[in-house]
Structures are given as structure tokens and as C-alpha cells.
């Protein structure tokens, strides 16, 4: 069987050896390079500035689309299965995105120029799933304290004491634009916001207004709205030191890619 990789993979020596023993593999950059004998399309949300749609796979007899990720908002296809690694055990050993949270926290302060010791600050974690729990473990010996906001539990003084809001919730309809003026208005302090979830959970226009008002001291994010389109949103275009955007690289540590890529291949064996 042949797999067409829209995502680069040859830099991953262990994975390359593993997958090329089991499949015929080609790296491609466009739909036109997909040959008729391709059975699976492999595409991660990183490296992609467009969405995989029905038009993209039209005329290709695919068995499925493989994504070594937990979120699949870069794929809008119903005609073939989309195979991801959401809820897979391998995720418990992948710490890359939680570590990127800490990088964003440290970087946004240094970019703005108001550097403070994290040992004096309260981290508020919104979403206490896999990533929220990992970030909690990382932060226990770094921050003064950590407060949790989750569907099943909310720390009593989450809104009163949080200095850094880390967004670690899943993308669901009920969570779209949940980070907005009304929600941020509940915080007693002026806060920094860190987002490694998905761009769609943040109302970017309202967060920008809150930055200009001083309520949000800085917004550091690894994900943006319209991430997989060339659309020039206001957040993408602004050059403001209070805004830090990384190109969805939270989960791209070499070790993380090795594990995630192998895990999704195992699901089709």
C-alpha cells in the first residue's frame, strides 16, 4: 500500500525506518503529485496553510486520511475515515505541547519587557485533561500556586488570583469563542493569556480589544483562527509586542513526532 505524506517525515529517522518497511511512501507538496495507487493520505495540522476538503481528495480512491494529532480541524472530509490519535495511550508520554505552554509564558513577558519571577505568580489552567495535568506537574515547582478550571471542578479563587490563564480545553461547539470579553471580565487581575488549544476557542477581536484596554497584558498563542487558510485576520497581521504567535509547533518536538506518527500508522495495520 502507498501513503502520500503532505507532512514531511524523512527527518524522523526512527519513524522513516519503521514506516518504509511496511508501506510505499512518497512526500508530496500538492494534490497533483498524488498518484492513483495512493491508499492513505498523511497530513498533520502543522506545516499546512489550507484545509483538506472533499475537493482535494476528489478522484482519489483513498481508504482514509491519517493525522498524527488529537484535533482534526485541518480536515473537512466525510467521504473517507479520518484516523487520528485522540485518546490514544501514547499521548500520555508526549509532553511537547505542555512544555511549549511554559515557553510561551516565559517568552511573552520577555517580549513585552516586563519580566517577573514566576515563583510570585498564579497559573490558572483552563481544561484539566491530559495537557492540563501535564502542565500542572511542570508548574508545581515553578509557580507560587496553580488554580484549576474544568467542567467538573473550579477552584474557588480561580478568577480572583490567576495571573496567567493557560487554555487547554478541547475544540467543541460549546467552546467556540468561549474566551471573550465576558469571560475575561470575571478575572480580578489583569492577566496574560496562553493558548495551545485551538484558535477557534478564542474570540480574537475581543481579546485584542482587551489588550488595548490593558485588561489582557499579553496574548501568546500557538494556534489562530483561519490557521489553515490564507485569510489575513487582524491577529495574524498585527505587529504588537503584546502578541506572540508561534506556527502551531507545540507538538513538534522530534520525540513527540516520532511517537505520534508511529501511533497513527499502527492504527491502520
Amino acid at each position: 500500500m502507498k501513503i502520500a505524506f503532505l507532512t514531511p517525515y524523512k527527518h524522523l529517522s526512527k519513524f522513516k525506518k519503521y514506516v518504509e518497511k511496511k508501506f510505499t511512501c512518497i512526500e508530496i507538496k500538492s494534490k497533483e503529485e498524488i498518484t492513483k495507487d495512493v491508499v492513505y493520505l498523511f497530513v498533520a495540522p502543522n506545516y499546512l496553510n489550507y484545509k483538506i476538503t472533499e475537493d482535494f481528495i476528489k478522484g482519489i480512491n483513498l481508504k482514509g486520511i491519517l493525522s498524527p494529532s488529537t484535533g482534526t480541524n485541518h480536515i473537512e472530509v466525510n467521504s473517507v475515515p479520518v484516523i487520528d490519535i485522540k485518546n490514544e495511550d501514547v499521548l500520555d508520554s508526549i509532553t511537547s505541547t505542555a512544555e511549549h505552554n511554559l515557553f510561551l509564558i516565559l517568552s511573552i513577558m520577555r517580549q513585552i519587557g516586563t519580566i517577573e519571577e514566576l515563583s510570585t505568580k498564579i497559573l490558572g489552567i483552563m481544561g484539566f485533561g491530559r495537557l492540563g495535568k501535564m502542565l500542572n506537574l511542570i508548574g508545581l515547582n515553578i509557580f507560587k500556586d496553580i488554580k484549576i478550571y474544568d467542567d467538573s471542578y473550579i477552584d474557588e479563587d480561580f478568577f480572583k488570583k490567576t495571573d496567567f490563564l493557560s487554555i487547554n480545553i478541547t475544540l467543541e461547539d460549546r467552546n467556540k469563542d468561549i474566551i471573550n470579553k465576558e469571560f475575561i471580565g470575571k478575572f480580578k487581575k489583569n492577566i496574560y493569556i496562553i493558548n495551545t488549544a485551538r484558535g477557534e476557542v478564542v474570540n480574537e477581536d475581543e481579546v485584542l480589544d482587551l489588550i488595548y484596554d490593558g485588561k489582557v497584558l499579553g496574548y501568546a498563542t500557538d494556534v489562530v483562527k483561519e490557521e489553515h487558510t490564507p485569510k489575513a485576520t487582524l491577529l495574524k497581521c498585527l505587529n504588537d509586542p503584546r502578541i506572540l504567535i508561534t506556527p502551531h509547533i507545540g507538538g513538534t518536538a522530534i520525540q513527540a513526532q516520532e511517537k505520534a506518527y508511529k501511533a497513527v500508522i499502527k492504527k491502520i495495520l
Side-chain angles (χ1 to χ4, degrees):
M1 289 190 291
K2 181 179 281 189
I3 301 178
F5 283 81
L6 264 172
T7 299
Y9 77 92
K10 293 182 179 179
H11 62 295
L12 303 172
S13 57
K14 293 179 182 178
F15 175 74
K16 180 177 182 295
K17 184 177 179 180
Y18 172 80
V19 73
E20 290 181 352
K21 277 186 177 180
K22 303 178 183 299
F23 298 93
T24 300
C25 304
I26 57 171
E27 277 192 354
I28 62 173
K29 293 184 178 178
S30 67
K31 176 183 177 178
E32 288 67 35
E33 297 176 72
I34 302 178
T35 55
K36 289 184 178 180
D37 56 346
V38 166
V39 179
Y40 289 101
L41 182 65
F42 189 107
V43 54
N46 328 91
Y47 313 106
L48 196 67
N49 61 359
Y50 56 89
K51 290 188 177 185
I52 305 301
T53 63
E54 294 288 357
D55 284 341
F56 188 94
I57 65 170
K58 188 176 181 180
I60 307 169
N61 190 26
L62 292 177
K63 284 189 175 181
I65 299 173
L66 309 176
S67 182
S69 61
T70 56
T72 56
N73 60 323
H74 56 299
I75 303 170
E76 292 183 349
V77 167
N78 294 313
S79 60
V80 299
V82 176
I83 302 157
D84 59 36
I85 59 170
K86 186 174 183 178
N87 299 322
E88 295 295 316
D89 291 341
V90 69
L91 293 168
D92 293 334
S93 67
I94 296 177
T95 59
S96 181
T97 303
E99 293 166 1
H100 194 66
N101 267 71
L102 184 59
F103 164 80
L104 291 173
I105 290 169
L106 293 167
S107 297
I108 189 63
M109 282 195 300
R110 282 151 178 77
Q111 179 167 291
I112 294 171
T114 53
I115 305 171
E116 299 188 65
E117 293 182 336
L118 297 184
S119 60
T120 67
K121 299 298 177 182
I122 307 296
L123 173 64
I125 298 176
M126 184 178 181
F128 206 57
R130 177 183 65 91
L131 283 174
K133 290 172 183 174
M134 283 185 180
L135 184 58
N136 182 56
L137 286 174
I138 291 172
L140 282 174
N141 293 318
I142 298 175
F143 292 89
K144 181 179 179 180
D145 200 1
I146 298 176
K147 303 298 179 183
I148 306 299
Y149 180 107
D150 194 61
D151 286 341
S152 58
Y153 175 79
I154 303 175
D155 269 314
E156 182 179 350
D157 47 8
F158 177 85
F159 291 106
K160 181 180 179 181
K161 294 188 175 181
T162 291
D163 296 296
F164 289 88
L165 170 63
S166 177
I167 305 168
N168 302 103
I169 56 178
T170 57
L171 176 58
E172 305 171 30
D173 286 341
R174 67 192 178 99
N175 286 339
K176 288 181 179 178
D177 285 337
I178 193 172
I179 308 300
N180 53 28
K181 282 185 178 180
E182 180 182 0
F183 185 81
I184 300 303
K186 298 177 183 179
F187 290 89
K188 301 302 181 185
K189 297 181 180 180
N190 298 335
I191 62 171
Y192 294 90
I193 300 176
I194 312 298
N195 186 10
T196 57
R198 286 294 185 270
E200 290 83 356
V201 304
V202 172
N203 186 316
E204 293 177 348
D205 291 338
E206 293 192 5
V207 166
L208 288 174
D209 287 342
L210 292 169
I211 288 174
Y212 299 140
D213 291 343
K215 179 62 179 178
V216 174
L217 300 173
Y219 180 48
T221 183
D222 192 41
V223 286
V224 295
K225 282 187 175 178
E226 303 294 342
E227 178 180 339
H228 303 111
T229 76
K231 185 176 179 180
T233 63
L234 184 58
L235 186 71
K236 286 182 182 180
C237 297
L238 282 177
N239 183 18
D240 189 309
R242 295 168 295 181
I243 300 166
L244 172 61
I245 302 174
T246 53
H248 205 154
I249 56 173
T252 60
I254 294 297
Q255 296 84 352
Q257 290 183 69
E258 290 274 15
K259 296 171 188 174
Y261 287 25
K262 186 175 180 179
V264 77
I265 293 295
K266 280 185 173 181
K267 292 188 74 171
I268 62 170
L269 288 175

